[in-house]
Amino acid sequence: MTYHRITSIDDRYFKPFHQLLQTIFPPEEVLEYELWREPIQDPAIYVYAALDGEEVVGATEYRYYKELRVAMTDFTIIGKASMGIGRFLMRNREQHLEQIMKDSGTVSLGMFAEIYDPYRAGIHSFGGVSPMNPIVRREVLSHMGYKRLELTYVHPSWDHEGAAVSELDLCFLPQNEELSELPALLIVSFLTGYYEALPNKPEAWHAMIEQLKTKETVKLAPL
């Protein structure tokens, strides 16, 4: 497989990549095709496709906030089972992030990710691809070391409708496995920066941010 970065919607692999997104995720989690034009050109946003020949069989998007010393995995998509796609994407992402940290002279505290709670999410077929089943994904991410932040989490829908999506947990993969909490203001800084691109946010999101500002720390719990 080839680890191919996509930096333009005019890239010949962008259309099959976007179609894979639409196949895997529910509509409220997928940014419209044309709305990708500007953000995908941002040098700080890394969108990579896993190519099997000319076929897009997986993808991942991530970023690193050197001023906060945290990374974020926006998504990891496995388009086919039994090809080692998840491992391929994870290792390439890890190696790239290590180089970014080296270049920026920073050491990461860890990586955020939004992870579906299968019991709140109900039934999502996720394209009928078994590795993308919410129960499977959650257990895999738990094995990787992700922990759940103990807060009632909502995020703005990516369809720009401003709906509050509450079927996911905000989680964190700490570099130090013994880490048991995060500073609340670190979470606030991360979330306000991450969702700056979505001006239409629900009141529930603003209330969550204000509640976080009243705390000193947020505990990390088993996923």
Side-chain angles (χ1 to χ4, degrees), residues 11-223:
D11 186 303
R12 71 179 185 274
Y13 297 112
F14 179 80
K15 184 175 181 179
F17 154 76
H18 194 261
Q19 289 172 337
L20 186 60
L21 276 177
Q22 293 175 308
T23 299
I24 296 295
F25 293 121
E28 66 271 15
E29 293 297 310
V30 180
L31 192 65
E32 289 182 21
Y33 192 101
E34 188 60 36
L35 293 179
W36 277 88
R37 183 173 293 278
E38 289 189 18
I40 204 169
Q41 296 180 54
D42 187 334
I45 297 176
Y46 305 103
V47 178
Y48 279 87
L51 305 179
D52 181 31
E54 290 294 298
E55 183 182 5
V56 176
V57 293
T60 186
E61 177 181 327
Y62 52 97
R63 56 195 84 191
Y64 181 67
Y65 298 83
K66 63 180 180 180
E67 67 282 1
L68 300 177
R69 294 171 52 213
V70 295
M72 170 66 174
T73 299
D74 300 77
F75 56 76
T76 299
I77 300 174
I78 299 169
K80 290 185 176 181
S82 303
M83 289 183 63
I85 296 168
R87 178 72 179 175
F88 174 81
L89 292 171
M90 185 185 77
R91 289 299 296 136
N92 278 277
R93 182 175 61 226
E94 283 179 344
Q95 291 166 9
H96 185 206
L97 284 170
E98 286 171 3
Q99 186 61 51
I100 293 171
M101 284 183 275
K102 182 178 178 181
D103 292 344
S104 64
T106 60
V107 177
S108 176
L109 297 171
M111 181 184 292
F112 285 102
E114 294 173 333
I115 299 173
Y116 273 95
D117 180 343
Y119 305 103
R120 297 205 312 273
I123 298 173
H124 285 312
S125 64
F126 287 88
V129 181
S130 56
M132 295 300 294
N133 179 285
I135 297 174
V136 175
R137 293 168 67 206
R138 194 175 179 93
E139 187 58 33
V140 168
L141 291 164
S142 176
H143 273 66
M144 287 172 60
Y146 274 95
K147 298 180 180 180
R148 176 178 56 84
L149 284 156
E150 288 193 337
L151 74 158
T152 302
Y153 185 64
V154 295
H155 79 75
S157 61
W158 284 99
D159 57 11
H160 282 256
E161 294 297 323
V165 179
S166 59
E167 299 174 341
L168 300 99
D169 290 313
L170 182 63
C171 299
F172 191 71
L173 175 63
Q175 285 286 99
N176 176 5
E177 291 188 18
E178 301 304 314
L179 191 69
S180 61
E181 59 187 18
L182 285 182
L185 290 182
L186 171 65
I187 302 169
V188 170
S189 296
F190 163 69
L191 288 175
T192 51
Y194 184 68
Y195 282 108
E196 187 178 13
L198 295 178
N200 190 17
K201 300 181 182 71
E203 283 304 314
W205 186 87
H206 291 291
M208 176 189 70
I209 294 296
E210 291 306 311
Q211 179 65 21
L212 280 168
K213 289 179 180 178
T214 68
K215 298 177 178 292
E216 289 189 8
T217 61
V218 178
K219 289 184 179 179
L220 290 165
L223 184 60

